[in-house]
Amino acid sequence: MNFLIYRYQCGSCQCWFEHYEMTPVVYGEFLMRSETRRAERYLNGLIDPVYEEVAQLLRLETSVGSRSDREQSDLLQTIFGVACDPDVDGGLFQMNLLPRCPDCGGEEISHYVATEPPRMVDLEIPHMTHHRWNALNQAEKLLVLENELKQRGF
């Protein structure tokens, strides 16, 4: 897979570093990072059946089903990690997490921009798995989603 190189400025120590991201023109594909940022997984939401399943289950939730399509999509991306197998440290994967600073380990990024001229890197990132989620029945899946929604204030 081809990834675009970005330059990031750490919000803690102000250093600049480079790391890769999905290209912005790719629709429905995500580079998911674990909360610890020690692991990354690739997800193609257009063909991943669990992604569609979670989207459908979210629409059943009264607090979600009445929201706009855009809000539902944002919410799906926010909580989808509960349907993914955790990293080796037990950390959940999330969409839209930026990398940690390699110098100080800071999570806050104050600025980032694609390299100019654009540079690409070809990497093999493991695909997201859902073994734990797939072992649950429908009622258990709904409960997992309800708990995550409550925990995030929805």
Side-chain angles (χ1 to χ4, degrees):
M1 288 173 266
N2 283 316
F3 295 89
L4 183 62
I5 302 292
Y6 279 81
R7 295 191 69 232
Y8 298 88
Q9 185 175 28
C10 176
S12 299
C13 72
Q14 305 305 309
C15 78
W16 285 89
F17 64 96
E18 293 185 349
H19 202 75
Y20 50 88
E21 293 289 341
M22 299 295 301
T23 60
V25 296
V26 176
Y27 177 77
E29 296 180 52
F30 304 94
L31 178 64
M32 297 183 68
R33 291 187 172 97
S34 66
E35 294 169 332
T36 63
R37 313 299 203 289
R38 293 184 186 174
E40 296 170 327
R41 297 288 182 271
Y42 168 77
L43 174 77
N44 185 336
L46 300 176
I47 62 171
D48 186 305
V50 172
Y51 191 74
E52 180 58 32
E53 178 187 19
V54 172
Q56 289 176 2
L57 290 173
L58 276 177
R59 286 185 209 107
L60 296 176
E61 289 293 320
T62 56
S63 65
V64 177
S66 60
R67 295 174 185 259
S68 72
D69 288 345
R70 172 69 179 187
E71 290 173 317
Q72 287 182 33
S73 176
D74 289 347
L75 188 54
L76 172 62
Q77 290 183 25
T78 299
I79 71 162
F80 183 70
V82 299
C84 301
D85 293 330
D87 69 7
V88 295
D89 298 323
L92 290 180
F93 282 90
Q94 294 183 20
M95 295 179 180
N96 307 317
L97 282 182
L98 296 174
R100 284 183 188 242
C101 174
D103 287 351
C104 73
E107 296 181 21
E108 184 180 328
I109 301 296
S110 60
H111 183 74
Y112 66 99
V113 62
T115 56
E116 281 295 330
R119 293 188 352 243
M120 304 293 289
V121 61
D122 186 30
L123 298 169
E124 287 301 318
I125 304 289
H127 288 246
M128 184 54 69
T129 59
H130 310 284
H131 302 296
R132 189 174 61 173
W133 176 264
N134 288 331
L136 302 175
N137 64 39
Q138 188 84 351
E140 292 168 327
K141 290 175 181 179
L142 283 169
L143 185 60
V144 167
L145 293 177
E146 287 172 11
N147 289 338
E148 187 67 12
L149 288 168
K150 284 179 189 171
Q151 188 174 12
R152 294 186 181 260
F154 293 101

